[in-house]
Amino acid sequence: MNNEGQKLLSGVFRAFMANNANLFNATRLAPTEKEHIEIYYRFINPPHNALIVDLGCGSGECGHLLQGIDPSLRIVNVVNNDALINLMEGLGRVCLNASFEATGLESEIADVVMFNESIGYGNIDVAFKEAHRVLKSNGILTIKDFSITDPKSTFSYLHDWGYVIHQPPTYIAAAYNNGFSIDQLIHPPIYTKHWFDIMEKSDVARESALKHDPKNLPLCTALYKFKKGNLSGVSVD
């Protein structure tokens, strides 16, 4: 991401927070963050007392809201942005100032690793490799990201943000090449009114959106759930 992109993104994050949208997600799974996180929690289905590593965590709000559903969950937030680190430290959230491609975390400590609209900032093969290293055997990797609605396009590059959006087969292949099996892939209904509300109130957010023609932006959302290792293929009945 170039300097202009970083400045723009920081301004967008401030606009999100001013609008009480602390998850920094452009798309939601439900109208409110509370409903969104309830759906996301059911999708992840983390075990009790799970250690969850949130890679590219923004303000750490996703993990915080997940703990609101299950206080036994332990969250480690990873981001390499000083302003966000300072914000999380002020909120008492456990955070690590590191790239999600090289976290420095111990191997095989996490039950769940998640990317929430963040994986496109890095190299996906390197990201999957690091997630595999950090996860315990049979651990879960979840990704919430955008998906390209035009099946003829293999990827979309948002140059000002330095963000790449890939088609699902690219993620599935990268996962398989780095020791994962795909457990679920869904394209749920999405809610974007909060994003348009933010744009209406913020010149910075509106400028950010207009950097890319909205007609060409992929507004489809994909939820991926991968398992470290091979699926058993055993019938449950």
Side-chain angles (χ1 to χ4, degrees):
M1 184 187 301
N2 58 34
N3 289 335
E4 181 184 354
Q6 288 191 5
K7 181 179 178 181
L8 191 62
L9 196 57
S10 295
V12 171
F13 285 165
R14 287 194 294 271
F16 266 82
M17 295 178 70
N19 202 58
N20 296 315
N22 297 319
L23 276 174
F24 299 165
N25 279 193
T27 67
R28 289 179 184 162
L29 308 176
T32 68
E33 290 189 351
K34 180 178 183 295
E35 294 169 300
H36 166 96
I37 212 68
E38 289 170 350
I39 294 171
Y40 192 50
Y41 174 84
R42 291 194 296 271
F43 178 76
I44 300 172
N45 191 26
H48 199 59
N49 293 315
L51 175 63
I52 299 178
V53 177
D54 187 355
L55 297 179
C57 63
S59 67
E61 189 72 6
C62 184
H64 173 69
L65 292 175
L66 289 172
Q67 285 179 315
I69 297 174
D70 181 355
S72 80
L73 298 177
R74 295 163 293 145
I75 310 294
V76 175
N77 298 295
V78 178
V79 74
N80 57 352
N81 180 290
D82 290 337
L84 292 173
I85 289 287
N86 291 336
L87 172 64
M88 282 186 282
E89 287 177 344
L91 294 170
R93 296 174 183 173
V94 178
C95 52
L96 179 63
N97 191 342
S99 164
F100 62 61
E101 296 178 346
T103 64
L105 290 167
E106 294 180 31
S107 297
E108 300 186 356
I109 62 167
D111 300 286
V112 178
V113 168
M114 60 185 182
F115 291 92
N116 297 298
E117 296 185 12
S118 60
I119 195 170
Y121 288 119
N123 179 291
I124 60 172
D125 276 307
V126 178
F128 272 105
K129 190 182 300 294
E130 180 67 357
H132 186 275
R133 186 188 67 79
V134 169
L135 278 167
K136 298 175 181 176
S137 179
N138 297 318
I140 296 298
L141 169 63
T142 63
I143 298 173
K144 178 188 181 294
D145 204 39
F146 310 102
S147 189
I148 302 168
T149 53
D150 181 357
K152 299 187 295 297
S153 297
T154 56
F155 70 93
S156 179
Y157 180 51
L158 309 185
H159 56 88
D160 291 295
W161 287 21
Y163 199 89
V164 182
I165 301 169
H166 298 280
Q167 288 282 23
T170 302
Y171 287 114
I172 294 169
Y176 178 79
N177 289 337
N178 288 284
F180 289 95
S181 301
I182 186 162
D183 185 60
Q184 291 186 61
L185 166 58
I186 62 175
H187 288 83
I190 59 172
Y191 296 80
T192 56
K193 183 179 182 298
H194 71 287
W195 173 233
F196 289 97
D197 288 344
I198 292 166
M199 285 193 293
E200 188 174 68
K201 298 175 183 178
S202 166
D203 291 338
V204 172
R206 187 161 52 251
E207 177 191 354
S208 170
L210 294 176
K211 287 281 183 178
H212 310 281
D213 184 347
K215 296 189 296 297
N216 297 328
L217 284 181
L219 290 181
C220 180
T221 284
L223 287 179
Y224 304 83
K225 187 175 184 180
F226 298 101
K227 176 184 175 184
K228 180 178 176 178
N230 297 320
L231 296 180
S232 66
V234 175
S235 172
V236 296
D237 60 0

